[in-house]
Amino acid sequence: MSHTIVIFGASGDLTSRKLVPALYNLERAGSLPPDTRIVGFSRTPMSDEAWRAGLRESTAQHCDCGPVDDASWGRFATRIHYQPGDIGQAEDFAKLDRRLAELEAGADATRVYYLATAPQFYEPVVTALGAHGMAAETRGPRRIVVEKPFGTDLATARALNATLHGVFHESQVFRIDHYLGKESVQNILALRFANTIFEPIWNRRYIDHVQITVAEEVKVGRRGAYYDTAGVLRDMFQNHLLQLLMVTAMEAPVRFDATAVRNEKVKVLEAIRPLDLGEVAAAGVRGQYRGYLDDPGVAANSQTATFGAIRLEIDDWRWQGVPFYLRSGKAMSCRTTQIVIGLELFAAGRRTFHREPNRLVIQIQPAEGIQLHFHTKVPGEGMRLRLTDLEFSYSREFQGRLPEAYEPLLLDVMTGDASLFARADEVEKSWEIIDPFVRVWHSVDMPPVDVYEPGEWGPVASAEWMAAQGRTWFDLCPVLT
Ligand code: BG6
């Protein structure tokens, strides 16, 4: 059966920066199913040729694949079509429906509707697809991909789920979080569940705490208008950081299928101890980089956090008493995403040998790999010990480029595998956890947000907050390069 990918928001940034480059890379690798067509829909009046030409340029800029070559682009371009239209106009949807039927030559096809528009258009597109019978699966599977942000709080996420479920079955809905498409995130599952060496220590008896850091060097830049209403909690915590927490903490699924994997992930969220509003302020630190207020689109007196650190507790047999520290910020000292498993300090060792515990560092980006930190005797210096490491690096071990996160995820939607996509209950539970932090951090009773200098690891208060809990942040720029 052929495939049709319909992109709503065809002239937007996401389409040109991520989606089309990912599809082009799949084409080059020979992984895109042969009968795939890509149909763009947006208001800009454009011909097929004009859209193709624009995409060739933007793909060359963003595809991370070297020069775009004529042969592969030539093949790829024949798949690309454009249909101008307005989401608010019923007749434009009718035209789109006719165009799709024409391109599919009346045959059955798998259709993927991709919501790459601004979020306020998600519900109108879904409703219009329903009204035109375009979600019905009489002529092949119909799937919808919903980008983040999935709502701005629990209430709006529930409303969006209700709109989706009014038109699509849950099995047709693919809520994308590109962090789950990263090779190294998926490898956490392999590391944990394919290696007997880690399983016995992956619990409260051996692990003191877990740190999950997503540090970005970039500032908010041109995205001020969006970012100032979102802040780091909505932009990074509700989705990417909680996803990393779930894959780190979940139990082994009985099968690697969408139901079993997502059941286990949701159980982690269900086990996170709810905090009342009084506890929330002490369970986190927020900061704002100096200069944020001058970024375009940012309110002059904005209290929006561009840095956040929070502490969550998972009340289950495996994790009770092991804090999970989640931290993310813009304008930090470097770009790195790391999960640090801090092991218990050997009690006798505390007195005799050393003060630093073993660590397992899983680096998600920029370079992907794993380091195990352990003590070694320094030669010739009695029992003086030093922390050294064992290292696995993806690039050293496996040749060739790692696929960009959108590549495997797009293929998964085409084949109908939802394991790496968030389920309705998963996004709602995530908002339930993050909402109280948003409420407290935005409350007028909070002291002014702490300012940090760009290039630091957030405000000083963040290190002090950790120290007060007897721990230190693992503040190392990429341990693997
Ligand atoms: C996006 C956020 O979801 O993730 C951005 O909206 C952020 O603010 C980006 O920069 C980070 O993604 P990555 O893959 O570069 O770590």
Side-chain angles (χ1 to χ4, degrees):
M1 195 182 309
S2 71
H3 293 82
T4 308
I5 303 174
V6 184
I7 304 180
F8 293 97
S11 52
D13 248 22
L14 180 72
T15 305
S16 55
R17 283 172 176 272
K18 297 289 183 191
L19 302 183
V20 172
L23 290 164
Y24 173 63
N25 273 328
L26 291 171
E27 166 77 50
R28 286 193 357 155
S31 314
L32 201 60
D35 279 339
T36 303
R37 58 190 80 77
I38 301 156
V39 182
F41 182 88
S42 76
R43 272 192 314 190
T44 318
M46 252 190 306
S47 63
D48 286 355
E49 281 68 34
W51 197 42
R52 287 176 191 146
L55 288 179
R56 179 167 183 161
E57 251 175 61
S58 52
T59 301
Q61 220 180 323
H62 300 297
C63 84
D64 177 33
C65 60
V68 168
D69 67 275
D70 286 341
S72 60
W73 186 266
R75 274 197 319 274
F76 186 59
T78 60
R79 302 171 179 278
I80 299 179
H81 310 272
Y82 184 77
Q83 177 66 32
D86 186 332
I87 288 165
Q89 300 298 321
E91 65 271 27
D92 288 353
F93 267 81
K95 278 189 206 150
L96 173 66
D97 195 25
R98 280 199 297 277
R99 178 89 191 272
L100 295 176
E102 208 178 282
L103 289 167
E104 289 160 355
D108 289 2
T110 300
R111 269 196 211 164
V112 173
Y113 301 116
Y114 202 115
L115 296 182
T117 62
Q120 68 266 29
F121 298 116
Y122 293 174
E123 301 197 46
V125 172
V126 172
T127 308
L129 288 171
H132 289 84
M134 292 166 78
E137 298 197 291
T138 41
R139 304 305 311 261
R142 299 290 182 258
R143 303 187 181 123
I144 184 152
V145 184
V146 190
E147 266 290 338
K148 71 171 275 269
F150 195 94
T152 54
D153 58 13
L154 177 59
T156 49
R158 276 192 182 141
L160 180 52
N161 274 334
T163 304
L164 282 161
H165 291 156
V167 175
F168 292 93
H169 298 293
E170 175 60 23
S171 61
Q172 295 173 275
V173 182
F174 290 69
R175 297 171 194 79
I176 200 161
D177 184 315
H178 75 281
Y179 266 60
L180 289 177
K182 294 182 192 272
E183 263 316 308
S184 44
V185 173
Q186 293 169 52
N187 192 45
I188 298 171
L189 301 180
L191 175 84
R192 293 194 48 207
F193 303 133
N195 297 297
T196 48
I197 190 168
F198 296 113
E199 198 282 327
I201 60 158
W202 212 265
N203 57 53
R204 65 194 157 93
R205 274 190 298 284
Y206 296 97
I207 294 179
D208 171 70
H209 73 283
V210 175
Q211 298 182 16
I212 302 180
T213 296
V214 181
E216 294 186 277
E217 217 176 336
V218 292
K219 297 183 180 175
V220 166
R222 290 188 299 125
R223 300 170 73 216
Y226 149 74
Y227 194 88
D228 206 37
T229 59
V232 70
L233 287 172
R234 291 185 172 115
D235 189 50
M236 298 297 287
F237 280 70
Q238 178 271 331
N239 35 67
H240 310 323
L241 278 108
L242 283 182
Q243 287 294 344
L244 294 177
L245 177 143
M246 284 184 260
V247 290
T248 306
M250 67 191 268
E251 297 300 318
V254 285
R255 281 178 309 279
F256 269 97
D257 67 23
T259 305
V261 169
R262 297 189 298 178
N263 282 349
E264 295 307 334
K265 285 171 64 192
V266 170
K267 281 188 210 161
V268 174
L269 298 181
E270 280 170 345
I272 290 181
R273 184 185 308 160
L275 299 173
D276 60 42
L277 293 182
E279 293 168 313
V280 167
V285 181
R286 67 201 176 118
Q288 186 185 81
Y289 63 80
R290 190 177 303 287
Y292 172 69
L293 298 180
D294 301 327
D295 286 340
V298 172
N301 57 351
S302 171
Q303 289 295 298
T304 297
T306 61
F307 168 92
I310 69 173
R311 171 188 165 125
L312 297 174
E313 305 267 351
I314 303 174
D315 279 338
D316 63 13
W317 277 95
R318 189 182 286 277
W319 295 116
Q320 198 182 51
V322 179
F324 278 68
Y325 295 100
L326 274 49
R327 165 174 76 150
S328 181
K330 302 259 187 227
M332 304 271 281
S333 58
C334 61
R335 173 174 185 251
T336 187
T337 298
Q338 291 165 351
I339 300 173
V340 179
I341 311 291
L343 287 132
E344 288 283 356
L345 193 58
F346 171 46
R350 202 185 294 261
R351 284 196 304 278
T352 51
F353 287 136
H354 56 80
R355 303 201 150 270
E356 263 196 282
N358 297 140
R359 278 183 218 110
L360 184 70
V361 181
I362 303 169
Q363 187 168 295
I364 310 295
Q365 56 191 22
E368 297 81 0
I370 295 167
Q371 260 190 3
L372 179 63
H373 296 182
F374 64 103
H375 290 275
T376 313
K377 184 183 157 317
V378 179
E381 296 192 19
M383 270 321 265
R384 198 162 83 75
L385 302 185
R386 211 184 73 196
L387 215 52
T388 48
D389 58 72
L390 278 173
E391 185 171 293
F392 154 70
S393 144
Y394 258 87
S395 61
R396 240 174 288 142
E397 188 67 29
F398 301 105
Q399 262 67 60
R401 68 179 275 281
L402 284 184
E404 278 286 318
Y406 276 92
E407 296 171 31
L409 293 176
L410 283 164
L411 283 182
D412 283 354
V413 184
M414 292 167 80
T415 53
D417 180 355
S419 325
L420 297 177
F421 294 81
R423 208 164 60 187
D425 51 347
E426 193 176 330
V427 282
E428 291 184 14
K429 284 266 160 229
S430 305
W431 278 118
E432 244 172 88
I433 293 160
I434 295 303
D435 265 2
F437 285 93
V438 175
R439 219 168 305 144
V440 169
W441 286 15
H442 289 191
S443 114
V444 286
D445 303 333
M446 283 292 276
V449 63
D450 283 319
V451 172
Y452 60 97
E453 298 302 326
E456 291 184 349
W457 288 88
V460 178
S462 164
E464 291 170 350
W465 176 74
M466 267 307 239
Q469 299 170 68
R471 300 192 173 93
T472 45
W473 288 114
F474 182 70
D475 281 348
L476 267 194
C477 275
V479 294
L480 295 165
T481 47

